[in-house]
Amino acid sequence: EPEVTQTPSHQVTQMGQEVILRCVPISNHLYFYWYRQILGQKVEFLVSFYNNEISEKSEIFDDQFSVERPDGSNFTLKIRSTKLEDSAMYFCASSERQGNTEAFFGQGTRLTVV
Amino acid sequence: DAKTTQPPSMDCAEGRAANLPCNHSTISGNEYVYWYRQIHSQGPQYIIHGLKNNETNEMASLIITEDRKSSTLILPHATLRDTAVYYCIGGLSSGNTGKLIFGQGTTLQVKP
């Protein structure tokens, strides 16, 4: 069964450092997403990406965040200067189309900012 | 996007059917009802979705009321591995960007 893969599974970083979280979406999917889940809280939408541009972003996704699809397979989330409150699970997802379809989620990257 | 309301928790005996309700009274005519689940902080997993008609797949059945104001997810023979948080999500019409708005969901505990 096709799957979304995320690396690393766990990342520890110093406050103020830049981090890049990596995702390999399912190969024929065209729509890509990042979500985050702070421990004990609900899953929150960050950004959706299609045709090499952001199609929607939440208010969480401020100037410290950026996304990129640097080649035909990877989809990355960069946090420029991490804060303690960025500690969370980050989930990547992909789908074939926008509506009337399922989104496939990766297993997540646990980001710990110290 | 339609707001959904779910009970915070439910229990179910192993081997019995688990019926998880969801109210989505503000759903519009072109918005689907989606169900996902999350097992112990893993990535959310798609279960099923529907628009008007009842749907069934290898995981579950989805019963949508005629007025589309509520739905029920049915796991026909719950197992311990079905213990998870279940999310009912309204939205994802064709004009949407595909984002999912997760609520708090229902924590289903399947007991032996």
Side-chain angles (χ1 to χ4, degrees):
Chain A
E1 185 175 303
E3 60 179 16
V4 175
T5 56
Q6 291 186 243
T7 54
S9 56
H10 191 186
Q11 171 102 40
V12 181
T13 189
Q14 296 268 347
M15 190 169 55
Q17 295 295 303
E18 174 183 287
V19 293
I20 298 176
L21 309 182
R22 302 181 192 279
C23 169
V24 179
I26 293 172
S27 61
N28 65 331
H29 286 185
L30 300 176
Y31 297 85
F32 313 111
Y33 314 89
W34 283 100
Y35 293 80
R36 80 171 186 190
Q37 186 174 32
I38 295 170
L39 187 64
Q41 298 186 23
K42 60 186 182 181
V43 178
E44 300 174 290
F45 168 78
L46 293 178
V47 66
S48 58
F49 189 87
Y50 168 70
N51 200 25
N52 277 322
E53 60 183 31
I54 290 173
S55 43
E56 187 172 358
K57 59 184 180 180
S58 70
E59 55 190 37
I60 301 169
F61 195 89
D62 61 21
D63 292 344
Q64 293 299 310
F65 291 88
S66 63
V67 289
E68 193 177 37
R69 189 154 159 81
D71 52 41
S73 59
N74 290 287
F75 180 50
T76 62
L77 174 69
K78 182 194 292 186
I79 309 175
R80 256 179 275 284
S81 176
T82 50
K83 304 188 281 285
L84 295 176
E85 53 265 38
D86 293 326
S87 295
M89 282 289 286
Y90 287 82
F91 296 109
C92 172
S94 69
S95 63
E96 275 187 284
R97 51 187 183 275
Q98 292 172 313
N100 191 20
T101 189
E102 61 182 289
F104 290 79
F105 284 76
Q107 289 305 298
T109 293
R110 179 170 298 284
L111 176 65
T112 303
V113 182
V114 297
Chain B
D1 295 318
K3 178 172 168 49
T4 60
T5 306
Q6 300 177 251
S9 63
M10 291 181 65
D11 289 343
C12 177
E14 189 178 17
R16 304 297 293 267
N19 297 279
L20 292 95
C22 177
N23 287 321
H24 34 78
S25 56
T26 61
I27 199 168
S28 65
N30 64 346
E31 288 183 315
Y32 291 84
V33 178
Y34 280 73
W35 284 83
Y36 282 77
R37 73 181 182 183
Q38 188 176 27
I39 298 173
H40 195 258
S41 296
Q42 294 178 22
Q45 178 190 22
Y46 167 84
I47 301 172
I48 199 166
H49 74 282
L51 185 62
K52 288 189 285 192
N53 300 321
N54 298 337
E55 301 287 346
T56 295
N57 63 19
E58 65 278 4
M59 287 183 71
S61 295
L62 174 60
I63 309 298
I64 303 174
T65 58
E66 198 169 329
D67 63 8
R68 298 200 345 111
K69 291 185 186 304
S70 66
S71 61
T72 301
L73 178 75
I74 301 171
L75 307 178
H77 305 287
T79 71
L80 298 179
R81 288 176 296 178
D82 292 321
T83 292
V85 181
Y86 287 77
Y87 300 100
C88 168
I89 300 170
L92 289 179
S93 57
S94 60
N96 188 283
T97 59
K99 72 178 181 186
L100 295 163
I101 303 299
F102 289 83
Q104 298 295 342
T106 296
T107 299
L108 175 68
Q109 183 74 46
V110 180
K111 299 188 172 180

